[in-house]
Every structure is written in C-alpha cells, then in structure tokens.
C-alpha cells in the first residue's frame, strides 16, 4: 500500500510504502519519501487489533 500525504494545495509532502502480510498480519514500512515512518505495535487510536505505523513529517521539506 502507498500512502500519500498532501498539503491543502494537493501537493505531495510525504509518502510511505507499507507492506502487510495478510497471512500473519505483520506490517512493514518498505520505503519513505520526505518523512520518517516506523512500526510501533498495535493500534493505540481506534483500539483495534491492527498493527500501527507512525509517520513523522520532516519540517521544511
């Protein structure tokens, strides 16, 4: 899966490529563009049993 992050003008400011192994549910960050992204365990926002990826945008890029 590719996740693109756009600003209010629809300009791409960051993107990540994430791979999810549907057999065992493991999530891996494969590549990033103008951001940091990493797997952090399980969902802390919605309370599901899905794995979570945190994306941190780099300022000034």
């Amino acid at each position: 899966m590719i996740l693109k992050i756009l600003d209010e003008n629809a300009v791409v400011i960051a993107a990540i490529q994430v791979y999810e192994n549907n057999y065992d549910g493991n999530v891996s960050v494969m590549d990033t563009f103008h951001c940091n992204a990493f797997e952090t365990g399980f969902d802390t926002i919605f309370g599901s049993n899905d794995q979570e990826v945190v994306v941190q945008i780099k300022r000034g890029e």
Side-chain angles (χ1 to χ4, degrees):
M1 171 177 67
I2 306 297
L3 172 67
K4 290 195 298 185
I5 302 168
L6 309 177
D7 68 8
E8 63 276 0
N9 298 312
V11 175
V12 176
I13 58 173
I16 63 170
Q17 180 182 17
V18 178
Y19 173 75
E20 180 179 7
N21 182 337
N22 290 326
Y23 176 73
D24 59 13
N26 287 336
V27 173
S28 300
V29 174
M30 305 299 287
D31 201 0
T32 61
F33 175 77
H34 293 298
C35 66
N36 295 319
F38 46 92
E39 307 89 6
T40 60
F42 291 96
D43 177 10
T44 60
I45 302 296
F46 301 106
S48 72
N49 63 352
D50 290 334
Q51 286 193 306
E52 181 175 85
V53 173
V54 171
V55 178
Q56 181 180 35
I57 306 297
K58 297 177 184 177
R59 289 182 176 230
E61 291 191 29

